[in-house]
Amino acid sequence: MKKLINDPRSVVEESAEGFGMAHADLVEVHLDPLYVTRRGGAVSGKVGLLSGGGSGHEPLHAGFVGQGMLDAAVPGAVFTSPTPDQIVPASQAADGGAGVVHIVKNYTGDVLNFETAAELCQAEGLDVRSVLVNDDVAVEDSLYTAGRRGVAGTVLVEKIAGAAAERGDSLDAVESVARRVAENVRSMGLALTPCTVPHAGKPSFDLGDDEIEIGIGIHGEPGRRRVGLEPADALTDHLLAPVLEDLGLAPGEKALLLVNGMGGTPLSELYIVYRRAAQLLAERGITLERSLVGNYVTSLEMQGCSVTVLRLDDELTALWDAPVRTPALRWGL
């Protein structure tokens, strides 16, 4: 195992410290317990937005803390849910007096720990709503979930719900927008190589030099099937076809396309995938209104990508376009 680390047991904390130093103008990192908040704390009168999950998926979630997006993020250990002891103080720190929305990826540990934290917050008088993201069409169940996994579509939920909160929407309205995005976004990914969890010290699964796993999860969970190496266009077809089938986009509808890297794939290759996906959408008569390409929900150093499609309407497009200023996503400010 070759990694730029000191001790596998301190990777998350040391990374969080460095993240806080690098982006001190945007975020504050709290170490005991570990969570990240927007610089300056909660905005009075604004609905707070919080998300979190296992580390190893950077920039998700801490990279999206800031104006127009999240008010707080809670990093767990690598590929491990954060604990209620982290989520509760992070929720309190995100509260500006108008309640807090938790955006939760559909992994069993995340769901259980966020549910427990929400109950504890409610007992303290903090109104908390939870929105589940389960955009992965690859599998219905896995080792980590009951139902579909939450993957790259989470970024789109966080951005659009964050914009709704920033413009002053009520708690009910922010929750409703977040649910609308979650219901209208689908994703599917593939792996060219496995990743290595620092404390494990070896690849999370075996994949031959000429093999690709289609439908991989962001923790290295098995996908739909294993295939031989194919050209990028053919692999993109394998990803996009089930996404569009499940989403049910009709000719004339509008969409946002996200091509997300898993951590170890060159941007040049992601644009090749984007090129083919955009062609396929055009062939189906779908208008590609907005795009995002890059590493946003990663799996350590895994080589691979995912394709995400969100059905857009005028309101969701306007909220996507709204200003955002975070370490990993910023425009309009």
Side-chain angles (χ1 to χ4, degrees), residues 20-330:
M21 293 174 182
H23 303 290
D25 59 324
L26 299 174
V27 302
E28 298 179 35
V29 174
H30 309 261
L31 294 175
D32 189 19
L34 178 61
Y35 61 93
V36 179
T37 58
R38 183 167 163 170
R39 169 60 62 181
V43 178
S44 179
K46 187 185 85 66
V47 172
L49 204 64
L50 179 147
S51 193
S55 295
H57 306 305
E58 290 76 15
L60 194 79
H61 295 271
F64 302 121
V65 172
Q67 185 176 349
M69 214 159 171
L70 298 177
D71 294 280
V74 190
V78 175
F79 292 178
T80 304
S81 172
T83 65
D85 287 347
Q86 296 171 267
I87 301 167
V88 170
S91 301
Q92 293 167 338
D95 178 34
V100 174
V101 174
H102 287 172
I103 296 175
V104 185
K105 301 191 305 303
N106 190 33
Y107 294 93
T108 301
D110 287 8
V111 171
L112 292 175
N113 286 347
F114 271 92
E115 281 181 354
T116 299
E119 292 172 0
L120 293 171
C121 288
Q122 297 280 8
E124 295 293 325
L126 174 56
D127 196 352
V128 174
R129 311 289 176 84
S130 295
V131 175
L132 193 69
V133 183
N134 57 350
D135 54 309
D136 187 1
V137 304
V139 293
E140 283 296 334
D141 295 283
S142 74
L143 299 174
Y144 294 80
T145 66
R148 293 179 169 178
R149 304 175 292 217
V151 287
T154 309
V155 177
L156 310 187
V157 179
E158 292 176 355
K159 168 62 183 79
I160 292 174
E166 201 72 45
R167 73 180 179 184
D169 285 14
S170 68
L171 182 61
D172 287 342
V174 174
E175 178 188 13
S176 177
V177 165
R179 290 192 188 282
R180 182 144 56 100
V181 178
E183 290 166 0
N184 284 281
V185 66
R186 302 289 188 276
S187 301
M188 189 166 173
L190 62 80
L192 305 176
T193 66
C195 62
T196 299
V197 176
H199 63 261
K202 60 182 180 179
S204 53
F205 58 95
D206 295 320
L207 198 59
D209 289 342
D210 60 348
E211 290 182 319
I212 291 171
E213 186 82 15
I214 300 289
I216 197 74
I218 58 175
H219 303 98
E221 312 97 308
R224 282 190 174 187
R225 64 188 185 278
R226 190 163 290 192
V227 302
L229 182 64
E230 297 181 78
D233 284 0
L235 293 174
T236 304
D237 293 355
H238 289 320
L239 297 182
L240 192 60
V243 166
L244 295 180
E245 179 182 356
D246 198 276
L247 191 55
L249 275 176
E253 288 198 274
K254 301 174 182 178
L256 182 156
L257 172 62
L258 163 61
V259 174
N260 172 68
M262 304 299 284
T265 305
L267 192 57
S268 59
E269 296 178 22
L270 298 181
Y271 280 117
I272 292 173
V273 172
Y274 178 89
R275 168 185 172 274
R276 176 58 177 166
Q279 289 173 345
L280 291 172
L281 289 169
E283 289 172 6
R284 290 175 176 244
I286 297 161
T287 301
L288 189 51
E289 287 279 290
R290 298 293 183 271
S291 306
L292 190 64
V293 181
N295 289 287
Y296 295 99
V297 182
T298 62
S299 186
L300 295 170
E301 81 282 20
M302 181 187 289
Q303 294 180 26
C305 72
S306 61
V307 172
T308 299
V309 178
L310 168 65
R311 175 185 281 109
L312 286 176
D313 56 31
D314 289 345
E315 183 186 22
L316 296 187
T317 302
L319 289 169
W320 177 258
D321 290 343
V324 59
R325 186 166 182 261
T326 72
L329 203 66
R330 62 178 74 189

